[in-house]
Amino acid sequence: MFLPGCPRDFFFSLQSIWCWSFWVDILRSTEERFSKLYYHLRRKFLPLDPCTQIVCSMGNGTSRLYSALAKTLNSSAASQHPEYLVSPDSEHLEPIDPKELLEECRAVLHTRPPRFQRDFVDLRTDCPSSHPPIRVMQWNILAQALGEGKDNFVQCPVEALKWEERKCLILEEILAYQPDILCLQEVDHYFDTFQPLLSRLGYQGTFFPKPWSPCLDVEHNNGPDGCALFFLQNRFKLVNSANIRLTAMTLKTNQVAIAQTLECKESSRQFCIAVTHLKARTGWERFRSAQGCDLLQNLQNITQGAKIPLIVCGDFNAEPTEEVYKHFASSSLNLNSAYKLLSADGQSEPPYTTWKIRTSGECRHTLDYIWYSKHALSVKSALDLLTEEQIGPNRLPSFNYPSDHLSLVCDFSFNEEPDGLL
């Protein structure tokens, strides 16, 4: 029996995926049991000594600020399962000055070309706001394991992908724009880099890994990649948080999302922020469409039928011509894509948000978006994209830029009198 409007070949492809996922779940559940047993025995009979824990410094071994960050279990089971990592207690770590961290990053990067200059485009309307805007950054930062082991960026020098320097380029980009909320994809260094550092900068973070991350297929990986969401604790209070494993035609998939309801401490107004990363590759358009529909349904419930304003950030792996994009554009959640406002007519997406050269050829696509409730929120400004000249003939990533995707940054404010539905 087939679902209405669902092609026969699509049904069988989903059936194959279900069979595969069924056995993978069995294998992974068995692996998890052994890992938990190993972890329990290790903790019971080999208690961790702070003097023997691994230390991951920012760059060279002389870093005076970050020599005691990111303590992890020294075991293969822990490295494959970040949920068993001993995460540093941010309450016992001293806050750090963003300027000092930025200087530390630049010291590590002193042999590299300077970072690209990007400017904010003022998009202010006639809607004044008595509170400071909310700056949101969306970025697929490129998983380290994928960048070095799977993605085959043929024009990118191997040296440009070394983690000790590439992580500083990522941090430099974040520190340069100082977002209030940070939505990341392809994060495979959450526990040893981003969580300990960003927590000391005042952020609260959440990480949700992919169930079957391709990073785990790469030798010497750092665990699974996934989505991460950070927000500044001095600006927002967490009201509710949901980790969502996306489904397609009721089947669980390998893609995830995080959705959190936050309350602004200045205005006491609430909004929902979500981050996701949909299925990649040509030929999976219907699969992405189903994932997008599932995410929209979840967000419909979380926002109480669009009563709570919404911002959705993500690498959708979909051009604006795809069905999943159209679903978001026509949703009852009344969403608009923020980066369309940079176009002359206000209706066109940027020509690209990712640009790379692989063994299969050159790829230039618009895949990354920041959606927002157009009746409840206004976009005050947006960070312009890098030009083709800045990106250069070898495209991304490069010595200048750490990812094959560009970061998107927008400043939002609440409309004082939301008109009708959000």
Side-chain angles (χ1 to χ4, degrees), residues 11 31 62 188 215 238 242 251 272 298 384:
F11 177 83
E31 180 189 8
T62 61
D188 62 348
C215 292
L238 179 63
L251 303 177
C272 177
N298 275 279
D384 208 353

Side-chain angles (χ1 to χ4, degrees), residues 150-420:
K150 273 184 172 287
D151 277 340
N152 299 314
F153 299 116
V154 293
Q155 296 298 321
C156 178
V158 175
E159 295 79 10
L161 295 172
K162 289 182 177 178
W163 180 243
E164 285 304 308
E165 293 187 8
R166 198 173 78 85
K167 69 180 176 184
C168 291
L169 271 179
I170 295 171
L171 289 167
E172 185 183 34
E173 181 91 347
I174 295 170
L175 291 164
Y177 302 121
Q178 299 181 5
D180 301 306
I181 299 172
L182 181 58
C183 296
L184 303 177
Q185 299 86 36
E186 291 199 21
V187 179
D188 62 348
H189 278 270
Y190 178 83
F191 292 100
D192 66 350
T193 300
F194 296 106
Q195 194 278 337
L197 281 172
L198 293 177
S199 67
R200 295 182 66 182
L201 292 170
Y203 290 92
Q204 179 173 325
T206 300
F207 175 64
F208 192 22
K210 296 174 184 173
W212 319 312
S213 168
C215 292
L216 299 178
D217 298 331
V218 179
E219 191 176 4
H220 307 305
N221 67 78
N222 198 60
D225 75 303
C227 292
L229 196 160
F230 294 90
F231 64 86
L232 282 178
Q233 297 180 82
N234 65 354
R235 289 211 63 187
F236 310 107
K237 179 177 71 174
L238 179 63
V239 177
N240 184 49
S241 183
N243 288 353
I244 304 166
R245 183 174 173 184
L246 298 176
T247 63
M249 308 292 286
T250 73
L251 303 177
K252 292 181 179 180
T253 73
N254 193 34
Q255 280 63 49
V256 300
I258 303 169
Q260 295 187 335
T261 302
L262 304 180
E263 181 177 303
C264 295
K265 293 186 175 181
E266 302 103 331
S267 64
S268 297
R269 297 192 66 170
Q270 293 186 2
F271 66 100
C272 177
I273 178 76
V275 56
T276 194
H277 188 187
L278 301 187
K279 172 66 182 172
R281 304 285 184 264
T282 302
W284 292 85
E285 291 82 3
R286 292 176 181 172
F287 198 79
R288 279 192 290 274
S289 178
Q291 288 181 328
C293 289
D294 180 53
L295 178 58
L296 284 170
Q297 183 58 57
N298 275 279
L299 294 175
Q300 182 82 16
N301 296 334
I302 291 169
T303 60
Q304 301 171 21
K307 291 181 180 178
I308 300 173
L310 174 64
I311 300 172
V312 186
C313 297
D315 175 358
F316 282 65
N317 275 307
E319 293 274 9
T321 53
E322 276 198 32
E323 285 299 317
V324 65
Y325 180 95
K326 295 174 183 177
H327 289 323
F328 271 74
S330 61
S331 164
S332 60
L333 292 170
N334 293 297
L335 302 175
N336 192 30
S337 177
Y339 264 72
K340 289 199 307 184
L341 301 178
L342 289 180
S343 64
D345 61 359
Q347 299 298 318
S348 305
E349 293 288 354
Y352 52 83
T353 61
T354 179
W355 202 341
K356 67 205 83 176
I357 302 176
R358 289 177 169 148
T359 51
S360 57
E362 187 166 350
C363 307
R364 190 184 87 152
H365 299 291
T366 300
L367 307 177
D368 308 272
Y369 307 95
I370 300 179
W371 298 90
Y372 69 100
S373 299
K374 58 188 176 184
H375 297 306
L377 299 167
S378 295
V379 184
K380 296 299 183 183
S381 62
L383 184 65
D384 208 353
L385 299 175
L386 293 176
T387 64
E388 180 177 357
E389 183 181 6
Q390 286 175 312
I391 291 173
N394 293 331
R395 309 315 183 201
L396 303 173
S398 66
F399 279 114
N400 301 76
Y401 202 78
S403 176
D404 55 324
H405 289 251
L406 298 176
S407 64
L408 308 181
V409 186
C410 290
D411 289 333
F412 290 98
S413 65
F414 288 100
N415 294 334
E416 294 301 322
E417 296 181 3
D419 51 327

Side-chain angles (χ1 to χ4, degrees), residues 120-133:
F120 279 91
V121 179
D122 190 346
L123 300 169
R124 282 178 293 183
T125 60
D126 295 329
C127 300
S129 177
S130 55
H131 301 286

